[in-house]
Amino acid sequence: MSIRRKKRLKAIVPTASFADIAFLLNIFFMVTSNFIKEGHIELKQPGSPEIEALKESQISVALDKEGELWLQGRPCPVGVLEEGVKVLIAELGDKTVMLKIDREVRQEKYGPVFLALSRAGAELALVGQKEKE
Amino acid sequence: MLLSKTRAFFEPDVTSFADIAFLLIFFFILTTTFILPAGSKLDIPAASADPEKAEDKQLTVTLAGEDIHYGPEGEKVTLEELRRSLFGRNFRAKPPDKRIVIVNAKPDVPYELYFDVVMAIHHADGVLALLEEEEKAKK
C-alpha cells in the first residue's frame, strides 16, 4: 500500500524590512536620547514632598559629597562659576540651571555656589527626589 | 551585429545590516534615561540686597546646624511649623517685593535642611533671597 505524503509548504519569514525598522528605531533613539553628562558624579539628592517634575535644562551644575563643583560634568572652581554660567546662558539662550547638590554638603560649600549663580542671572532648578508626605 | 555582454548583477550583501541596527538599538535602550528630573524652579533675586532693607524689614529664616529659627524673636520652630506659618502669610495676594523671605544659613547647615526650607518658601509662593557674605558678617 502506498502512503501519500502531503506536500508541506515551506514557511518563509520575510526579513527584508527588518533593517528598515531597526534603522527607524535607531533614528528615534538618536533624536530623543539625552546622554547623561554627570554619571561619574556621586551625590545623594535631598528629598521633599513639595517638588514636581522638571523640564531638563541644558546647563547643569553639580556639587558632590566631597564638595567638588562640576559645570556641565567638568570640574569647575567656584571662582569661575559665575563667568562660566554667564557664557553658557549667552551661548544657549537658556537661563535655567539644573542645580544638583549632595544632601550632606554644608553651607560653606553650597552658599558661594548659590551666590555665584544668582549673580550670573540664572534661574535655578533645584533637583531633588519626590518624597511621600 | 553587436552582442550584449552579460553583466554580472551586483547586489550588496545586506543581511548583517539588521544585526548592526539592532545592536545600535540595544545600545540606545541601555544608555537612555526616561526619568525626568524632579525639583523646583526658583528665581532668586539679585544677590546684592540692600543691607538697610534686608533682615530688619523682611522675613528671615535663620538656619543653624539642624535648627530653624523664624519670627520676630527668632524662635526655634519645626519645619512643619515653618510651613504653616509661611502659608498663613498668604504671599499669593501680595506683590513680589512683599513676598521676599531671606534665608540666612550658618556654615554648618546641611543642604538637606536648606533644601526643605527653600521648598517650603517656594511652596508658600514666597521669593527666596540670599544674603551676601559681607552682610552676613555684619549680622
Side-chain angles (χ1 to χ4, degrees):
Chain A
M1 199 173 100
S2 64
I3 298 163
R4 269 196 171 180
R5 283 204 177 168
K6 274 186 184 173
K7 260 195 175 177
R8 277 200 181 175
L9 288 170
K10 253 192 178 178
I12 301 163
V13 183
T15 55
S17 59
F18 266 31
D20 304 334
I21 296 161
F23 277 110
L24 278 175
L25 280 167
N26 268 330
I27 293 161
F28 166 75
F29 280 110
M30 278 176 177
V31 172
T32 57
S33 282
N34 198 356
F35 286 94
I36 302 165
K37 286 174 264 177
E38 293 162 336
H40 58 292
I41 302 166
E42 269 183 59
L43 57 87
K44 282 184 215 150
Q45 289 171 356
S48 172
E50 288 151 342
I51 56 177
E52 60 254 21
L54 278 175
K55 200 182 155 217
E56 187 114 31
S57 161
Q58 294 181 73
I59 308 171
S60 161
V61 173
L63 188 65
D64 67 13
K65 61 178 180 181
E66 307 298 329
E68 275 192 59
L69 186 65
W70 306 80
L71 174 62
Q72 303 292 74
R74 278 182 235 136
C76 169
V78 75
V80 294
L81 180 66
E82 185 185 338
E83 212 45 51
V85 170
K86 272 183 185 169
V87 170
L88 284 169
I89 289 173
E91 267 177 21
L92 305 167
D94 183 10
K95 278 171 76 179
T96 310
V97 175
M98 304 283 290
L99 183 58
K100 297 167 190 168
I101 300 177
D102 187 276
R103 62 185 178 203
E104 281 162 26
V105 169
R106 305 277 149 174
Q107 194 275 345
E108 57 197 341
K109 295 279 183 193
Y110 64 76
V113 174
F114 272 85
L115 284 173
L117 293 174
S118 174
R119 284 199 201 106
E123 263 183 24
L124 300 189
L126 302 188
V127 180
Q129 286 171 332
K130 179 94 177 154
E131 264 180 11
K132 282 181 186 171
E133 279 185 269
Chain B
M1 201 175 121
L2 283 169
L3 279 174
S4 60
K5 278 184 184 173
T6 49
R7 282 196 180 173
F9 184 67
F10 176 72
E11 196 179 13
D13 186 18
V14 291
T15 43
S16 59
F17 269 30
D19 304 334
I20 297 161
F22 276 112
L23 278 174
L24 280 167
I25 288 169
F26 289 136
F27 168 75
F28 280 110
I29 287 172
L30 293 176
T31 57
T32 299
T33 171
F34 290 104
I35 304 159
L36 276 174
S40 263
K41 216 169 166 182
L42 307 173
D43 190 10
I44 299 176
S48 53
D50 182 356
E52 298 268 311
K53 288 180 188 170
E55 271 184 280
D56 302 330
K57 292 175 191 171
Q58 280 153 349
L59 281 177
T60 305
V61 179
T62 306
L63 306 176
E66 302 285 329
D67 301 332
I68 307 167
H69 298 271
Y70 174 74
E73 304 299 316
E75 319 74 280
K76 193 173 154 183
V77 291
T78 61
L79 186 64
E80 206 42 57
E81 285 168 338
L82 177 72
R83 275 188 189 132
R84 263 185 270 128
S85 178
L86 289 170
F87 264 107
R89 296 236 163 218
N90 195 17
F91 285 125
R92 196 165 283 186
K94 292 179 180 172
D97 62 316
K98 302 279 180 203
R99 293 181 185 186
I100 293 172
V101 182
I102 296 168
V103 177
N104 182 12
K106 304 289 178 210
D108 60 342
V109 175
Y111 181 65
E112 196 167 25
L113 178 65
Y114 188 83
F115 185 80
D116 281 335
V117 170
V118 169
M119 287 298 122
I121 294 168
H122 179 69
H123 202 59
D125 289 309
V127 176
L128 173 74
L130 304 170
L131 269 189
E132 290 271 19
E133 288 306 306
E134 309 91 70
E135 286 172 37
K136 270 190 178 183
K138 286 180 196 169
K139 301 292 164 189

